[in-house]
C-alpha cells in the first residue's frame, strides 16, 4: 500500500511483540511509517515478513536497541530525530520481568531503567518532533488504576528486598507520576494517554518461573484478553488522540486523577530524581 496523505509517523518502543507489534502492523496496514524498536533480530525479521505481506516493507524502520540502556535510548532518539522530522505518535510498550535483580548498562535497576526511565527519555527527547506534527500523542501502556506498589524514594534501584513484583509495581507507579508530570509541565504539545490494557495473552506470560507460569497460562486461556482487543484502542488513539492533555484509561474506563498515585508533588519529585540520575550519566 502506498503512503497516503493522512498517513502518520509512529514510533513503537517495544514493537516486535505483543500489543506493540499489533499496533505497529495495524498502523503499517493503514499507510503509516512505523519505527519499531526492540532487541530481537528474529522477531524483527518476522515483523519485516509481515510488513512485506502488507505491502508496507519500505515504511517499516526497525531499530535494534536495548532500551534499558540510557545511551541506547539516546541513540534511538538521535536516529528518529534525523530520519523523521515530524512524529505523530509514540507508543511505549517495552517491558520485561526480571526474576532476579539485574542492573542496566549504566547501573540502574533494569525494570526501572526499561519500564520507566526509557519512557521518560523518549517522551521528552522527541519533543521537537512532536511539535512538528499536527496532532501528536504519547501512548504509555502500563498499569494505571491499581494502587498497589509505590516508588521507593530511598532505594529506587531496589538494592534491598528486590522482587519481580516490587520492581514491576514500582515502575508502574513511576509511569503514573510520569504521565502527571507531562500534563503539569509539558515539554511539547503531545497529549498523553496512560493505558492499562488488562491481563492480555502475550508472550509476557512466559517470563514467569514455574509453577507460576503454568498457573498464569491456564488463567490466560480463560481470563485474558486477546492482543487484538487490548491493542484496538492504541491503534485508534494514534489516529484520533483524546482531546485532554492527559487521559488515563483502565480497560476502557477513565481513571480518577484525584487518586493518590497521581499526586502532583510526587510527580515533580520523581522528575527531579530522574533528571539527577540522568545528569550523572
Ligand atoms: N500482557 C499483559 O497482561 C499486560 C497487562 C498490563 C500491562 N501490560 C503492559 O503492556 C505493555 C506491553 O505488554 P506486552 O504484554 O504486549 O509485552 P510483550 O509481548 O512482552 O512485548 C514486550 C516488547 O518489549 C520489547 N522489549 C523487552 N525488553 C526490551 C529491551 N530491553 N529493549 C528493547 N525492547 C525490549 C520486546 O522486544 P524484544 O523481545 O525484541 O526485546 C517486545 O517487543 C507493557 O508495558 C506491560 O507492562 C501488559
Amino acid at each position: 500500500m502506498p503512503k497516503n496523505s493522512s498517513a502518520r509517523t509512529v514510533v513503537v518502543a517495544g514493537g516486535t511483540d505483543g500489543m506493540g507489534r499489533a499496533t505497529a502492523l495495524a498502523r503499517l496496514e493503514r499507510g503509516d511509517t512505523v519505527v519499531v524498536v526492540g532487541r530481537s533480530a528474529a522477531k524483527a525479521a518476522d515483523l519485516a515478513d509481515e510488513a512485506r505481506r502488507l505491502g508496507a516493507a519500505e515504511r517499516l524502520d526497525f531499530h535494534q536497541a536495548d532500551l534499558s540502556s540510557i545511551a541506547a535510548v539516546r541513540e534511538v532518539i538521535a536516529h528518529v530525530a534525523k530520519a523523521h522530522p515530524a512524529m505523530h505518535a509514540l507508543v511505549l510498550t517495552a517491558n520485561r520481568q526480571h526474576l532476579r535483580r539485574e542492573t542496566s548498562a549504566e547501573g540502574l535497576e533494569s525494570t526501572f531503567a526499561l519500564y520507566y526511565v526509557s519512557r521518560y527519555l523518549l517522551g521528552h527527547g522527541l519533543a521537537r518532533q512532536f511539535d512538528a506534527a499536527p496532532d501528536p500523542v504519547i501512548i504509555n501502556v502500563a498499569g494505571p488504576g491499581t494502587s498497589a506498589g509505590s516508588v521507593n524514594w530511598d532505594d529506587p534501584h531496589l538494592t534491598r528486598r528486590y522482587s519481580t513484583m516490587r520492581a514491576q509495581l514500582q515502575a508502574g507507579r513511576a509511569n503514573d507520576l510520569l504521565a502527571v508530570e507531562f500534563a503539569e509541565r509539558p515539554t511539547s504539545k503531545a497529549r498523553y494517554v496512560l493505558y492499562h490494557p488488562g491481563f492480555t495473552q502475550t508472550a509476557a506470560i512466559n517470563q514467569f518461573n514455574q509453577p507460576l507460569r503454568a498457573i498464569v497460562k491456564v488463567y490466560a486461556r480463560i481470563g485474558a484478553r486477546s492482543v487484538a482487543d487490548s491493542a484496538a484502542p492504541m491503534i485508534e488513539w494514534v489516529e484520533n488522540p483524546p482531546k485532554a492533555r492527559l487521559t488515563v484509561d483502565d480497560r476502557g474506563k477513565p481513571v480518577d486523577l484525584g487518586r493518590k498515585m497521581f499526586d502532583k508533588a510526587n510527580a515533580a519529585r520523581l522528575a527531579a530524581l530522574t533528571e539527577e540520575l540522568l545528569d550523572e550519566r
Side-chain angles (χ1 to χ4, degrees), residues 13-20 37-41 43 65-68 92-96 114-115 119 141-143 168 195-205 207:
T16 55
D17 213 335
M19 290 171 263
V37 187
R39 279 171 319 170
S40 162
K43 289 181 190 177
D66 177 352
L67 291 167
S68 68
L92 299 163
T93 45
N95 187 13
R96 188 171 160 241
L114 174 64
Y115 189 10
R119 297 179 185 210
V141 186
Q168 284 290 322
Y195 173 51
H196 190 341
F199 187 33
T200 304
Q201 278 164 355
T202 66
I205 57 178
Q207 294 168 16

Side-chain angles (χ1 to χ4, degrees), residues 157-173:
H157 302 297
L158 303 179
T159 58
R160 303 181 293 273
R161 294 200 308 125
Y162 176 86
S163 77
T164 312
M165 194 52 81
R166 277 191 96 213
Q168 284 290 322
L169 290 173
Q170 165 171 263
R173 299 296 67 77

